[in-house]
Amino acid sequence: MKKVICLLIFLIAVAAGCSKEKERTQKSSEIFPVIDSNGADPWVFKKGDTYYYTKTTGNNVTLWKSNQLSTVAFGQEKVIWDMPSEFESAWAPELHYIDGQWVIYVALNKLGETHRMYAITNPSKDPYQGSWDLKPIAGMDDKFAIDGTVLSLNSGLYFIWSGWEGYENVAQNLYITKMSSPTAIAGKRQLISKPEFDWETKQNPLINEAPEILVIGDKVNLTYSASGSWDDDYSLGLMTLSVFANPMNPSNWAKSKEPIFTKTDTTFGPGHNAFVKDDKGDAWLVYHAARWSHSGWSRSIRMQSLEVKNGIIQKMIPLEDTDKISLPAGDTKRKVYLAKDAQLSEGLKLEKDGSLPEKTSVTGFSETKEKAFFDISVKEAGEYTVLAYVKTVDIYTDDNPVSILFMVNGNEEQMTLLPSDYYQPIGQTVALKEGKNTLSFSLEVGIDDVRLNRIEVIKVKNKVKY
């Protein structure tokens, strides 16, 4: 009888331990809207099973690639093109695959000059291989031009961009013209939109920019960004066109009098978007927003699913950073370790944070020796993306980023955390062994204003195939 009682006690203890382990290693099919803690002018392009991501980096074109949309900002990274010394800056690159070649449209300016549109081409099947050839888009005039994109219809290929009417920075308008090839235009430009409504004219100079195309059924949706990108009023507008209509005729474009995507009490300056479809074919909006109110050009990248009716994008509300959304189709579930699951060294503590769904974060980190440890268990050895959701407190300058250290099984990874009003993901793709792995989170230089809410572990799917 005594042996039976002991066995029952043992089984109860094991069951309790298993229940606790299950709670500590819950899998989630939800994510938060912020997918990149630092960046602007995002672009995502899907070819086959691969997502390619780029953004404004200033002096080059950098690509990231992944088989999963939600972790594309942490995918394989490569600088595929370095800006020659004759140029001063590179803005808003877009990657396309047209007529059997890769084409990147990017705005460049030579020293002392305004920006013009260029194309960088590569005939390789793999954009991470081969050579890239830079050339100005042939046939364009010498006026300021940025944010070029393409519209492909049965009637041909069209180039759409933001530019000045003359040579003075009074207003940026949207123009369109037909293309004779992916790197040359075939005729004169046609004005299709200018800043005119109150929500488009909040700052000077007046701005319509960042046109982006999504064709749904027989409708062409053209979103664009209006008002100053440096302030909270930056918003998305919408123009629509029948795929059977002539896009060179301005009267064929229907322009909404109201924005379809604008600031809220917690999300500021949402704009300059991209569209991408997941493995199921559902469309997602990827865009940048300010990291705090009036943060200027300090921005992060977010995404959320589109709302569409009869082929037309509907008015939407930017999600808060704490809103949870379902994973895009094809993305794998995440293993989640909350702050309360961590083992804390002396000096660290758990504190309530009412802004979060889980409402508890690790705080402290005033000394480099203060660390939060997580025991991470995986069933299969391989590559995993490990994300930490963190924020700084009351440090509103990008001049003093915080250096975060991950130590995974003795291997150190370093990341940069910029200030933000909300928790944001920083992370690395690392090798994990089967079974138990140990991760520690600390700061390279102690500073008592960092909070850690959670660790997420995502299995990297099979390597990209071409």
Side-chain angles (χ1 to χ4, degrees):
M1 184 67 178
K2 189 174 182 179
K3 289 183 179 179
V4 173
I5 293 173
C6 289
L7 179 59
L8 287 173
I9 292 173
F10 172 76
L11 291 174
I12 292 171
V14 169
C18 290
S19 177
K20 184 177 182 181
E21 177 66 16
K22 184 178 180 180
E23 179 185 353
R24 289 166 62 91
T25 60
Q26 57 183 309
K27 284 192 175 182
S28 176
S29 57
E30 295 178 314
I31 57 172
F32 297 110
V34 179
I35 62 169
D36 188 347
S37 63
N38 181 36
D41 312 329
W43 177 257
V44 184
F45 182 80
K46 188 171 189 279
K47 187 174 187 296
D49 295 330
T50 306
Y51 296 96
Y52 296 96
Y53 169 63
T54 189
K55 58 185 178 180
T56 293
T57 50
N59 60 1
N60 62 37
V61 176
T62 302
L63 285 185
W64 291 260
K65 66 179 177 181
S66 174
N67 289 122
Q68 301 187 60
L69 174 56
S70 61
T71 58
V72 70
F74 302 96
Q76 182 182 343
E77 177 181 352
K78 184 177 181 180
V79 176
I80 61 168
W81 178 82
D82 281 306
M83 186 176 70
S85 59
E86 65 187 282
F87 294 100
E88 191 172 28
S89 63
W91 291 355
E94 286 193 9
L95 176 72
H96 297 263
Y97 191 73
I98 307 173
D99 295 343
Q101 67 176 338
W102 292 100
V103 184
I104 294 173
Y105 297 108
V106 63
L108 303 173
N109 71 310
K110 294 183 178 180
L111 297 174
E113 297 182 2
T114 56
H115 284 76
R116 308 285 191 271
M117 285 306 306
Y118 289 77
I120 315 173
T121 59
N122 183 348
S124 174
K125 188 177 181 181
D126 178 356
Y128 277 48
Q129 305 297 324
S131 60
W132 291 88
D133 180 36
L134 172 70
K135 61 183 69 174
I137 295 179
M140 292 190 70
D141 59 31
D142 62 347
K143 298 180 176 69
F144 173 85
I146 62 170
D147 298 346
T149 195
V150 289
L151 165 64
S152 179
L153 296 173
N154 288 335
S155 56
L157 189 67
Y158 299 84
F159 195 61
I160 306 173
W161 73 97
S162 173
W164 296 348
E165 180 180 0
Y167 293 93
E168 295 184 6
N169 189 9
V170 177
Q172 288 177 220
N173 307 316
L174 299 184
Y175 296 95
I176 188 172
T177 191
K178 198 164 186 178
M179 305 189 82
S180 57
S181 76
T183 60
I185 63 172
K188 293 183 178 180
R189 65 180 186 173
Q190 175 63 59
L191 174 71
I192 56 173
S193 180
K194 63 181 180 180
E196 55 186 309
F197 302 121
D198 177 68
W199 60 273
E200 295 179 290
T201 56
K202 292 291 186 180
Q203 289 87 26
N204 282 302
L206 305 180
I207 290 177
N208 276 184
E209 63 184 11
E212 300 299 351
I213 296 293
L214 180 64
V215 178
I216 308 173
D218 62 357
K219 297 293 184 182
V220 176
N221 291 264
L222 185 158
T223 57
Y224 64 96
S225 300
S227 288
S229 61
W230 58 89
D231 213 346
D232 294 355
D233 297 308
Y234 204 49
S235 304
L236 287 184
L238 177 68
M239 301 171 64
T240 55
L241 172 84
S242 168
V243 296
F244 308 108
N246 179 9
M248 293 294 294
N249 185 345
S251 64
N252 289 337
W253 290 94
K255 181 177 177 179
S256 174
K257 295 180 179 180
E258 300 293 333
I260 62 164
F261 203 62
T262 192
K263 68 179 180 181
T264 67
D265 292 337
T266 57
T267 303
F268 309 99
H272 201 125
N273 70 286
F275 297 111
V276 64
K277 294 183 179 180
D278 62 21
D279 286 0
K280 189 179 176 182
D282 293 331
W284 290 78
L285 178 76
V286 183
Y287 62 99
H288 71 225
R291 291 209 298 272
W292 63 87
S293 180
H294 302 295
S295 69
W297 286 315
S298 295
R299 295 162 290 190
S300 61
I301 309 300
R302 301 173 176 227
M303 74 176 197
Q304 62 189 78
S305 58
L306 278 179
E307 297 176 20
V308 177
K309 184 178 181 180
N310 298 325
I312 297 176
I313 298 171
Q314 301 298 292
K315 186 173 183 178
M316 298 175 295
I317 298 174
L319 297 176
E320 294 187 23
D321 58 286
T322 55
D323 288 333
K324 288 186 176 182
I325 54 179
S326 296
L327 279 169
D331 284 19
T332 59
K333 290 183 178 181
R334 301 172 172 218
K335 208 168 187 180
V336 178
Y337 298 83
L338 302 178
K340 63 183 179 181
D341 300 326
Q343 303 169 45
L344 306 180
S345 66
E346 185 177 352
L348 298 181
K349 59 182 178 179
L350 293 176
E351 285 191 356
K352 295 291 184 181
D353 188 340
S355 67
L356 292 161
E358 289 77 21
K359 303 191 184 305
T360 305
S361 291
V362 180
T363 64
F365 303 105
S366 59
E367 296 184 29
T368 57
K369 66 180 181 180
E370 295 173 349
K371 298 182 179 182
F373 296 90
F374 292 86
D375 289 334
I376 295 174
S377 295
V378 296
K379 294 181 179 179
E380 180 183 356
E383 288 190 327
Y384 290 79
T385 301
V386 181
L387 304 180
Y389 281 79
V390 288
K391 69 177 288 187
T392 59
V393 181
D394 299 331
I395 299 183
Y396 290 156
T397 173
D398 284 353
D399 296 332
N400 296 301
V402 179
S403 182
I404 304 294
L405 299 179
F406 269 10
M407 186 74 75
V408 181
N409 296 334
N411 298 314
E412 185 176 276
E413 304 284 350
Q414 184 175 347
M415 292 152 291
T416 298
L417 172 64
L418 294 171
S420 174
D421 259 350
Y422 46 80
Y423 285 83
Q424 50 189 330
I426 59 172
Q428 292 281 347
T429 296
V430 300
L432 297 182
K433 61 185 180 182
E434 180 183 353
K436 180 181 174 181
N437 296 261
T438 300
L439 180 147
S440 70
F441 177 98
S442 61
L443 275 58
E444 186 175 42
V445 177
I447 183 168
D448 190 18
D449 54 9
V450 172
R451 297 183 180 182
L452 167 65
N453 174 250
R454 63 201 281 127
I455 297 289
E456 295 186 345
V457 180
I458 307 105
K459 179 74 169 70
V460 174
K461 295 168 69 174
N462 293 333
K463 289 187 177 181
V464 176
K465 296 180 180 180
Y466 298 96

